[in-house]
Amino acid sequence: MLDSDDLRGLVSDMWMLRQSERAVLDNIYEYMKGDRGFPSLPDAVEQEIVDLARLSLKNVLPLVRDAFAQNLCVVGYRSALAKENHPGWRIWQQNRMDARQVEVYRPAITYGAAYVAVTADDDGVVRWRPRSPRQLSAIYEDPQTDEWPQFAFEMWVDQSFAKPRRRATVYDDEFMYPIDLGEVPASSVWLDPNTIEFARSLGSFDVGDPVPHGASVCPVVRFVNARDADDVIVGEIEPLLVLQKALNSVNFDSMIVSRFGAFPQKVITGWSGAADEVLRASARRVWAFEDPDVKTTSFAPADLAQYDGKLVEMLEFIATVAQVSPSKLNPKLSHVSADALASAEANEQRKTEQKRDSFGESWEQCFRLSGEISGDSSLAGDESAEVIWRDTEARSFAAVVDGVQKLAATGIPIEELVDMVPGVTQQKIQAIKDGIRRNQVNGLVSALTQRGTMPNPPSEPGVTQPDALVS
């Protein structure tokens, strides 16, 4: 157990670690929201140009994130030879993870990692809390190989009774240490945990009584988007930030030309007027001037097709770097056939499979950890069970059904192949399997009944025939 001095020192060190990470994470977060990446403008530029720069944002980063997140959906948890979900699947349902699992995938894909804190509430029910790396920081002795962290620091704003308070929890391998960092006044620098004032408050926070979490390890599971021997964790968004800013700049140039050069520009020599006179003159179809020295001419309109082609080229390059289907970024490819779409999504599906492998291991950690905390030894010690992912690959329904029928013709029970049909939920699969079993039982009963109404065949010497079966 950490004493008060050790805990305060650890919180201070963890906060400094968060600050070193937040610079990178906040930059990615603001790019995702569209608050960064605008074209650079010279000083004292006109307000109209500034407005065009803000309107030129063509943010495709959320599309890249969602291209992978929408293909990640866990629909079951079972052992290799089991026909039904593991009893531990109830924990998944209790935590509403069918809907909430995306809260793990999105930050993991965006930043490279996400976390799930696994604890038990006052009633002993295991709770899973998804957290982004902007909310939770974890310390590993060897971040590349360690399965569990040494310590974890989680911070959030408690909105109870409409009185926001900043709270935190420190986890080690035995206890949870609740921390109250004080009230958050409205319109205050305290809203921002990056300020010096907040840093000074770290020495005066209130610490609650340590609470045993019931696990033998720090109960925080890390979800890693992709691993690398050098950088350890790699996200999908950071490598695309420069390309996103370049895309915005080209789109800004296109909007400038569209606003000021897409129509014939009129040139008047020998005359000058006030701004309102120039505006009225620009809207006239016929101009007349009393001064014979005034001359008018016009420039040919600019061609926007070159900008459009460049934007399409850049979108395709971003899709290539991100390894997503170009149809996710370029709507011109949205009306292709299923076979063509499947070919275009080949690289995306291979990359998605890598994420399923990584995230699947983390979900299995969550299940085993939940079993340890809840005292379910069968769940905690079952290392053969694995999560089942929904098949989201773009294939025609007829082709899948044809493949299932061919497999069934080889003798494989049809109920073992129902999972391969796309778009069928676990509940529907269970209903289909139950229906198949009922039909099999009904067919057996019918066959026995029919046999019982028929006369017994002639008996062989020394063989006693059973009584006829009746319905």
Side-chain angles (χ1 to χ4, degrees):
M1 180 187 297
L2 298 174
D3 59 28
S4 178
D5 292 338
D6 291 339
L7 182 60
R8 294 180 188 278
L10 179 62
V11 170
S12 178
D13 293 340
M14 294 289 286
W15 183 82
M16 295 299 295
L17 175 63
R18 283 176 60 88
Q19 295 307 103
S20 64
E21 296 175 342
R22 284 289 293 268
V24 175
L25 298 179
D26 285 350
N27 183 49
I28 297 174
Y29 176 76
E30 292 175 6
Y31 260 94
M32 290 293 292
K33 287 185 63 179
D35 293 336
R36 288 197 183 185
F38 299 106
S40 301
L41 299 175
D43 297 334
V45 71
E46 297 179 3
Q47 184 61 40
E48 186 177 8
I49 304 298
V50 175
D51 294 339
L52 282 178
R54 300 200 65 85
L55 292 173
S56 67
L57 186 65
K58 198 178 186 70
N59 194 0
V60 299
L61 299 179
L63 300 178
V64 173
R65 176 199 62 193
D66 292 343
F68 296 109
Q70 291 170 356
N71 285 319
L72 297 170
C73 183
V74 172
V75 294
Y77 179 67
R78 64 177 72 111
S79 301
L81 301 179
K83 296 182 179 180
E84 309 293 342
N85 281 327
H86 194 285
W89 181 248
R90 70 185 186 281
I91 298 176
W92 179 278
Q93 299 293 341
Q94 288 172 350
N95 286 275
R96 300 176 288 113
M97 295 308 295
D98 284 340
R100 298 183 62 207
Q101 58 183 304
V102 71
E103 298 176 24
V104 177
Y105 305 141
R106 285 188 171 187
I109 294 169
T110 300
Y111 305 110
Y115 301 91
V116 172
V118 181
T119 57
D121 60 16
D122 296 337
D123 297 328
V125 179
V126 177
R127 298 299 180 190
W128 294 2
R129 296 197 311 282
R131 297 295 190 189
S132 81
R134 300 177 71 244
Q135 299 169 308
L136 187 147
S137 298
I139 296 178
Y140 295 82
E141 183 177 353
D142 186 345
Q144 186 173 354
T145 61
D146 286 354
E147 187 176 12
W148 306 100
Q150 287 183 312
F151 302 100
F153 178 65
E154 177 186 23
M155 188 167 63
W156 74 98
V157 175
D158 185 352
Q159 301 282 353
S160 300
F161 306 105
K163 293 182 179 180
R165 299 187 69 86
R166 194 174 298 280
R167 299 188 184 277
T169 301
V170 174
Y171 301 89
D172 64 11
D173 57 2
E174 293 183 277
F175 296 95
M176 300 180 295
Y177 304 88
I179 297 173
D180 186 352
L181 295 171
E183 188 175 349
V184 183
S187 303
S188 169
V189 292
W190 287 82
L191 289 171
D192 186 3
N194 299 321
T195 58
I196 297 298
E197 288 78 3
F198 182 79
R200 291 172 180 170
S201 72
L202 292 176
S204 59
F205 56 78
D206 296 328
V207 180
D209 295 333
V211 179
H213 50 63
S216 60
V217 295
C218 182
V220 172
V221 178
R222 180 176 60 175
F223 289 72
V224 179
N225 173 70
R227 295 179 181 271
D228 185 88
D230 294 324
D231 296 330
V232 181
I233 294 175
V234 180
E236 298 297 330
I237 302 303
E238 189 175 13
L240 305 177
L241 297 185
V242 174
L243 298 178
Q244 176 63 65
K245 188 169 184 178
L247 180 66
N248 294 340
S249 297
V250 173
N251 194 45
F252 172 65
D253 293 341
S254 175
M255 294 186 70
I256 288 289
V257 174
S258 177
R259 175 68 64 89
F260 301 106
F263 52 88
Q265 293 179 301
K266 305 174 182 65
V267 180
I268 304 175
T269 58
W271 175 80
S272 61
D276 59 335
E277 294 176 329
V278 174
L279 181 61
R280 288 196 301 269
S282 63
R284 292 175 181 172
R285 295 182 178 179
V286 178
W287 293 3
F289 298 95
E290 296 180 356
D291 189 344
D293 295 329
V294 174
K295 296 181 180 180
T296 62
T297 186
S298 62
F299 295 145
D303 184 11
L304 295 177
Q306 297 180 357
Y307 285 99
D308 294 339
K310 188 63 177 179
L311 289 172
V312 170
E313 178 185 345
M314 296 185 71
L315 287 173
E316 292 177 351
F317 180 69
I318 293 176
T320 301
V321 174
Q323 288 186 279
V324 300
S325 171
S327 63
K328 303 294 177 62
L329 307 184
N330 186 359
K332 291 184 177 180
L333 297 179
S334 60
H335 302 291
V336 298
S337 65
D339 293 337
L341 184 60
S343 176
E345 291 184 345
N347 289 336
E348 179 182 328
Q349 287 296 327
R350 283 192 288 267
K351 198 169 186 179
T352 301
E353 284 297 326
Q354 294 178 349
K355 300 182 190 305
R356 288 173 178 170
D357 293 339
S358 178
F359 295 158
E361 291 291 337
S362 298
W363 284 128
E364 292 158 22
Q365 281 183 250
C366 289
F367 279 107
R368 293 194 297 269
L369 180 59
S370 299
E372 182 179 3
I373 292 175
S374 62
D376 186 347
S377 59
S378 62
L379 177 60
D382 191 352
E383 296 186 356
S384 64
E386 60 183 9
V387 294
I388 308 301
W389 295 94
R390 176 179 294 167
D391 185 6
T392 58
E393 188 174 355
R395 290 185 301 232
S396 65
F397 183 81
V400 174
V401 173
D402 181 64
V404 170
Q405 290 177 338
K406 290 179 179 178
L407 289 174
T410 64
I412 300 176
I414 188 64
E415 62 180 296
E416 301 295 332
L417 304 173
V418 178
D419 296 13
M420 300 177 61
V421 179
V424 182
T425 63
Q426 285 294 298
Q427 290 79 5
K428 188 63 177 177
I429 289 173
Q430 187 61 45
I432 293 174
K433 290 181 177 180
D434 292 341
I436 293 174
R437 292 166 187 163
R438 284 196 301 269
N439 292 337
Q440 291 174 344
V441 172
N442 293 337
L444 178 60
V445 171
S446 178
L448 293 175
T449 301
Q450 293 177 5
R451 178 183 175 186
T453 59
M454 296 173 59
N456 292 330
S459 59
E460 298 180 6
V463 177
T464 302
Q465 292 293 333
D467 296 336
L469 294 174
V470 295
S471 58

